[in-house]
Amino acid sequence: QVQLVESGGGLVQAGGSLRLSCAASRSIPSILVMGWYRQTPGKERELVATISSGGSTNYADSVKGRFTISKDNAKNTVYLQMNSLKPEDTAIYYCNVWRVGSNYWGQGTQVTVSS
């Protein structure tokens, strides 16, 4: 069973930065896409950013130019660098790995941006 463990969340003032990490408990073969999603109470989980096995990235319009997704295949880790944070970025952030036949989620890490 693969586990995804997120870290790096916390409390930050508006305009600040955080870097989220998501490490897989073991190597995951045949990964198609790795990504970050977020969710706030009463709302559906929404896509923040994804990165394909080939390195192509995709971002939600709300985070373009502020967030950067990257990955380290050797470490089985995906990152989300978040700059110029806004109070509306406050949410629980979830890591996701989609591979052939399986979809994995982390437990989530809280990001709180104060105004």
Side-chain angles (χ1 to χ4, degrees):
Q1 181 74 11
V2 175
Q3 289 185 326
L4 302 179
V5 180
E6 297 114 333
S7 61
L11 174 64
V12 64
Q13 287 188 333
S17 298
L18 284 174
R19 188 192 193 206
L20 304 184
S21 299
C22 172
S25 56
R26 61 173 177 83
S27 178
I28 304 175
S30 304
I31 290 177
L32 297 173
V33 179
M34 304 175 77
W36 289 93
Y37 293 72
R38 65 187 182 188
Q39 189 171 22
T40 55
K43 293 188 177 181
E44 293 190 354
R45 194 170 296 186
E46 64 174 7
L47 180 148
V48 176
T50 60
I51 184 166
S52 72
S53 58
S56 298
T57 57
N58 180 52
Y59 296 93
D61 288 342
S62 59
V63 306
K64 282 181 181 177
R66 300 187 297 122
F67 291 10
T68 302
I69 189 170
S70 61
K71 62 188 176 86
D72 186 331
N73 293 328
K75 295 182 178 180
N76 305 311
T77 301
V78 61
Y79 305 97
L80 186 68
Q81 177 67 43
M82 305 186 294
N83 298 328
S84 301
L85 282 161
K86 304 176 180 179
E88 51 263 45
D89 294 319
T90 295
I92 298 175
Y93 284 70
Y94 297 90
C95 171
N96 173 262
V97 173
W98 177 38
R99 64 172 292 255
V100 176
S102 300
N103 195 21
Y104 304 104
W105 289 94
Q107 81 288 351
T109 185
Q110 177 70 48
V111 171
T112 302
V113 184
S114 64
S115 57

